[in-house]
């Protein structure tokens, strides 16, 4: 039985019951961050802030949105946009944040790949991060269904058809997922549930796991240096703040983190107020019509690279390669056989080329996915898709040959 | 068994109860997502085949899906002449010849558009093309347009009912 004494202050009262000082130390002032980092290390905090923006704007949208096929379109485009005071603000924040969050996720991912932050005990950080990517993708797709416009309907049609497994003709599975022969009320209802309840819960749980995975290996640094966090933090606490290689997370590192977040928010709200159009596909301002496919169907920009891997091949091969592209990033820590956990540019020519080619190729795939599947674009898309697959197959080989630096 | 104590027994007993419950709830969850009876029953579309004009592609609706109906012109018939694959898909009602198919690309289910000048279908999503007979002209679609179950009653055609003509097509692997 714990011993309680008469509290001397509110803080003391709470401290006796919740150990708030201890919690503060564990979470902030004695959570150690290496000093040798740059602004790319602030992407995590930007993602947290963007997730909060999505959550808050989503809560307000949820109050007026009606998840029925007859009313969904108007509840978004008329009620929320025209009638609700500041309804447009919540919608534009939600739409722009849904798009921008993927830009930051990709920067965060490629930062991790570049600095080797998935190696030497940091594998679970990478894996939980990739699970978050999958959860965010599900969240984005299910949310895209909700306005029930033409793009919502046809994206729903195309993506659910993927589950027929090509020549397997698992139409029963597709009909089970839709609850109908085509996307209709049952489909909208269940994707609404996924978007506002199940997937957000999964995302919050995964964010918890992602942060927990950081505690033991700690944050990586710009040189991939193996920092002794125990020794360095002792040095810091003993007063040698300048000599120590680490600093406190709160409020020292946080102040820099929030500085970057501030710059991000200015850019973000510039988009929300003046340039939200990129996140609002004009085709989706036509109500869903099961008897008319829009001229070009393409996903939002963040899915284009994997869509382009599906497109140039026949359905079965396309599906296999698409599935490969979806999951292969998860296995990066195990496919990279090299012991070097240093920036890509210092790991020798082979991996340096691998990294920059992967980055450029994903940009090419993204561009080709947006263009209509005709003429030279089909060829470029095909080559880029093959290069993508080949790079992943080659990764274990070139990293095994890598010399230790 | 090392742990043959009462605690071990209780653990196993709870495991058994939980397993039954888990299986039961999975069944309930799976069945909850099944298409509703009202959805499944919504069913049959009757088309009056005498109202169609040659060479004009008309889109009908059956089970929420678009159905292509094209009364073939002489030009299309001439093109099919030496192609048994195309002829096997032909649907004859009275003296008229029709191409009837589910208007969803067999790749991923977009609706291909009919091109009047070329007498073919093109899918905007992934660039697949079909001939006026419903056969694949350009990948990625893995097979020709699917033919919905139909039954011919004089000048009428009922979609959703299986007639002998459709059964033959299915048995011969012309459609799924």
């Amino acid at each position: 039985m714990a011993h309680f004494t008469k509290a001397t202050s509110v803080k003391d009262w709470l401290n006796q019951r919740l150990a708030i000082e201890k919690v503060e130390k564990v979470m902030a002032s004695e959570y150690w961050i290496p000093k040798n980092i740059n602004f790319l290390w602030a992407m995590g905090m930007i993602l947290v802030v963007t997730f909060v923006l999505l959550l808050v704007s989503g809560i307000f949208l949820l109050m007026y949105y009606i998840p029925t096929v007859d009313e969904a379109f108007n509840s978004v485009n008329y009620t929320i946009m025209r009638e609700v005071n500041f309804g447009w603000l919540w919608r534009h924040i939600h739409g722009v944040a849904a798009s921008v969050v993927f830009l930051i996720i990709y920067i965060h991912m490629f930062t991790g790949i570049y600095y080797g932050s998935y190696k030497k005990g940091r594998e679970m950080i990478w894996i939980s991060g990739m699970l978050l990517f999958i959860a965010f993708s599900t969240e984005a797709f299910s949310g895209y269904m909700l306005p029930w416009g033409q793009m919502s309907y046809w994206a729903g049609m195309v993506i659910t058809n993927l589950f027929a497994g090509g020549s397997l003709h698992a139409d029963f599975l597709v009909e089970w997922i839709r609850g109908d022969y085509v996307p209709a009320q049952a489909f909208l209802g269940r994707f609404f549930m996924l978007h506002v309840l199940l997937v957000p819960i999964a995302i919050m749980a995964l964010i918890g796991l992602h942060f927990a995975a950081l505690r033991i290996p700690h944050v990586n640094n710009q040189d991939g240096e193996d920092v002794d966090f125990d020794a360095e933090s002792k040095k810091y606490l003993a007063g040698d703040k300048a000599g120590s290689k680490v600093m406190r997370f709160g409020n020292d590192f946080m102040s820099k983190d929030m500085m970057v977040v501030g710059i991000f928010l200015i850019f973000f709200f510039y988009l929300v107020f003046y340039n939200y159009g990129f996140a609002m596909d004009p085709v989706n301002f036509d109500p869903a019509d099961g008897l008319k496919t829009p001229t070009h169907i393409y996903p939002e920009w963040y899915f284009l690279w994997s869509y382009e891997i599906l497109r140039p091949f026949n359905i079965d091969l396309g599906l296999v390669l698409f599935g490969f592209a979806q999951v292969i990033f998860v296995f990066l820590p195990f496919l990279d056989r090299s012991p070097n956990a240093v920036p890509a540019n210092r790991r020798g020519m082979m991996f340096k080329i691998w990294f920059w080619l992967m980055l450029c190729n994903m940009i090419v795939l993204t561009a080709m996915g947006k263009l209509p599947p005709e003429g030279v674009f089909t060829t470029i898309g095909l080559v880029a898709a093959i290069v993508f697959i080949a790079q992943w197959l080659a990764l274990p080989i070139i990293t095994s040959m890598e010399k230790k630096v | 068994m090392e742990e043959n104590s009462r605690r071990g027994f209780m653990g196993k007993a709870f495991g058994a109860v939980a397993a039954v419950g888990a299986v039961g709830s999975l069944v309930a969850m799976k069945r909850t997502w099944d298409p509703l009876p009202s959805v499944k029953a919504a069913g049959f579309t009757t088309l009056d085949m005498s109202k169609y004009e040659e060479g004009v592609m008309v889109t009908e609706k059956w089970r929420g899906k678009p159905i292509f109906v094209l009364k073939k012109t002489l030009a299309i018939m001439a093109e099919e002449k030496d192609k048994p694959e195309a002829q096997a898909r032909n649907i004859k009602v009275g003296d008229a010849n029709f191409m009837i198919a589910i208007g969803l690309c067999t790749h991923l289910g977009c609706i291909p558009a009919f091109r009047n000048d070329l007498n073919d279908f093109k899918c905007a999503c992934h660039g697949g093309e079909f001939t006026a007979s419903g056969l694949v002209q350009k990948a990625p679609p893995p097979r020709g347009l699917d033919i919905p179950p139909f039954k011919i009653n004089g000048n009428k055609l009922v979609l959703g009912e299986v007639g002998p003509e459709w059964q033959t097509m299915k048995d011969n692997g012309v459609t799924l």
Side-chain angles (χ1 to χ4, degrees):
Chain A
M1 178 67 192
H3 184 63
F4 290 91
T5 54
K6 185 166 167 54
T8 54
S9 66
V10 175
K11 190 180 171 191
D12 181 46
W13 190 89
L14 285 170
N15 222 0
Q16 289 191 43
R17 286 156 181 82
L18 293 171
I20 55 169
E21 273 181 334
K22 183 90 193 291
V23 170
E24 193 277 333
K25 275 187 180 171
V26 170
M27 302 302 281
S29 62
E30 290 185 17
Y31 176 43
W32 303 100
I33 304 289
K35 288 179 180 169
N36 183 22
I37 56 176
N38 59 43
F39 78 100
L40 289 167
W41 269 254
M43 295 303 140
M45 188 60 81
I46 292 181
L47 285 169
V48 170
V49 169
T50 314
F51 181 68
V52 171
L53 283 166
L54 283 163
L55 193 65
V56 172
S57 56
I59 285 169
F60 283 92
L61 292 171
L62 185 53
M63 296 177 204
Y64 290 96
Y65 175 74
I66 304 171
T68 66
V69 289
D70 294 329
E71 295 182 86
F73 186 83
N74 280 332
S75 72
V76 173
N77 289 301
Y78 184 76
T79 311
I80 290 171
M81 290 303 284
R82 304 269 184 93
E83 289 197 301
V84 178
N85 286 326
F86 288 98
W88 58 269
L89 178 66
W90 304 121
R91 189 190 185 193
H92 287 170
I93 288 176
H94 207 68
V96 171
S99 197
V100 168
V101 84
F102 278 93
L103 175 67
I104 308 296
I105 286 174
Y106 285 130
I107 296 174
H108 198 51
M109 255 174 81
F110 274 92
T111 303
I113 301 178
Y114 182 82
Y115 289 104
S117 308
Y118 50 90
K119 298 163 80 92
K120 288 192 176 163
R122 297 197 174 90
E123 292 85 353
M124 276 313 296
I125 306 174
W126 177 264
I127 292 168
S128 58
M130 287 314 301
L131 294 178
L132 268 172
F133 178 74
I134 294 168
F136 266 92
S137 300
T138 315
E139 184 68 0
F141 173 71
S142 55
Y144 201 62
M145 299 298 103
L146 303 188
W148 210 240
Q150 271 291 67
M151 273 297 186
S152 305
Y153 183 92
W154 287 100
M157 178 75 104
V158 169
I159 299 297
T160 47
N161 266 336
L162 292 176
F163 290 89
S167 295
L168 297 175
H169 298 305
D171 292 337
F172 67 93
L173 182 60
V174 175
E175 282 164 17
W176 181 72
I177 291 169
R178 292 177 187 159
D180 205 327
Y181 303 105
V182 288
Q185 183 57 50
F187 174 86
L188 180 59
R190 58 192 60 171
F191 276 83
F192 172 67
M193 177 283 292
L194 287 175
H195 186 73
V196 304
L197 184 69
L198 194 55
V199 183
I201 289 175
I203 287 178
M204 287 187 261
L206 284 168
I207 291 176
L209 177 64
H210 197 52
F211 288 173
L214 265 170
R215 303 291 314 193
I216 298 169
H218 283 86
V219 175
N220 194 12
N221 55 72
Q222 278 193 95
D223 297 309
E225 187 192 342
D226 215 343
V227 176
D228 183 343
F229 281 87
D230 286 336
E232 295 298 328
S233 59
K234 276 201 190 89
K235 205 193 266 183
Y236 187 100
L237 288 173
D240 186 11
K241 292 187 183 180
S244 173
K245 285 179 179 172
V246 298
M247 65 199 278
R248 297 177 194 274
F249 173 75
N251 295 323
D252 305 0
F253 170 66
M254 274 271 274
S255 64
K256 293 190 179 185
D257 233 10
M258 295 317 279
M259 171 76 194
V260 182
V261 167
I263 294 166
F264 166 76
L265 284 176
I266 292 169
F267 161 72
F268 176 79
F269 279 99
Y270 158 74
L271 292 177
V272 168
F273 291 126
Y274 303 106
N275 256 309
Y276 50 83
F278 75 96
M280 306 269 154
D281 198 295
V283 181
N284 220 22
F285 286 88
D286 292 326
D289 180 353
L291 295 185
K292 204 177 103 211
T293 320
T295 332
H296 293 297
I297 297 188
Y298 40 78
E300 288 292 282
W301 71 268
Y302 40 85
F303 291 145
L304 287 170
W305 67 270
S306 58
Y307 179 75
E308 186 55 30
I309 289 169
L310 175 73
R311 204 162 68 163
F313 304 100
N314 78 41
I315 177 79
D316 292 325
L317 183 59
L319 271 179
V320 169
L321 298 182
F322 179 71
F324 176 86
Q326 294 304 309
V327 299
I328 197 63
F329 276 95
V330 179
F331 299 103
L332 175 62
F334 310 106
L335 294 172
D336 183 343
R337 312 298 308 160
S338 153
N340 299 325
V342 294
N345 277 0
R346 295 183 215 156
R347 285 178 55 177
M349 197 46 104
M350 298 272 263
F351 189 78
K352 183 177 172 179
I353 292 173
W354 189 92
F355 174 83
W356 292 107
L357 183 60
M358 179 59 70
L359 182 61
C360 297
N361 195 35
M362 282 183 70
I363 295 170
V364 170
L365 283 167
T366 301
M368 291 306 123
K370 183 81 183 185
L371 294 164
E374 287 157 5
V376 68
F377 302 138
T378 314
T379 318
I380 297 175
L382 177 68
V383 172
I386 293 170
V387 168
F388 179 88
I389 303 291
Q391 272 199 275
W392 281 103
L393 295 178
L395 182 64
I397 303 165
I398 65 166
T399 48
S400 318
M401 285 160 35
E402 200 171 293
K403 285 191 198 76
K404 178 118 182 77
V405 273
Chain B
M1 286 274 170
E2 281 288 309
E3 189 63 34
N4 226 352
S5 62
R6 284 192 294 173
R7 202 173 286 162
F9 170 75
M10 289 197 291
K12 287 183 198 103
F14 172 71
V17 172
V20 171
V23 170
S25 38
L26 279 177
V27 169
M29 287 175 197
K30 190 269 169 193
R31 298 276 289 145
T32 305
W33 267 37
D34 281 345
L36 303 178
S38 57
V39 167
K40 281 188 149 172
F44 305 97
T45 306
T46 305
L47 305 177
D48 178 0
M49 302 308 285
S50 59
K51 66 169 191 187
Y52 297 100
E53 286 173 52
E54 271 187 13
V56 181
M57 222 290 292
V58 180
T59 307
E60 304 284 358
K61 195 174 174 180
W62 170 70
R63 287 187 184 171
K65 294 175 184 175
I67 302 295
F68 290 161
V69 181
L70 174 64
K71 190 170 176 179
K72 292 175 183 168
T73 57
L74 287 174
I76 297 173
M77 289 307 288
E79 213 164 283
E80 286 185 1
K81 208 162 184 186
D82 304 315
K83 293 172 188 150
E85 259 196 317
Q87 284 167 2
R89 303 174 58 93
N90 191 47
I91 297 170
K92 216 169 158 68
V93 183
D95 292 331
N97 293 291
F98 288 93
M99 192 285 302
I100 299 174
I102 298 176
L104 298 174
C105 181
T106 49
H107 182 228
L108 287 174
C110 298
I111 303 181
F114 187 65
R115 298 191 290 194
N116 266 317
D117 46 336
L118 297 166
N119 259 333
D120 66 0
F121 298 91
K122 180 169 174 82
C123 182
C125 294
H126 307 94
E129 289 175 20
F130 299 90
T131 66
S133 325
L135 291 167
V136 178
Q137 181 168 277
K138 181 176 174 250
R143 59 181 190 281
L145 294 169
D146 294 328
I147 300 170
F150 65 87
K151 191 173 179 183
I152 300 167
N153 276 335
N155 250 345
K156 300 261 194 320
L157 185 139
V158 186
L159 291 172
E161 262 190 70
V162 175
E165 293 88 351
W166 187 76
Q167 195 58 52
T168 315
M169 287 182 182
K170 188 167 174 62
D171 294 343
N172 296 338
V174 173
T175 186
L176 274 181

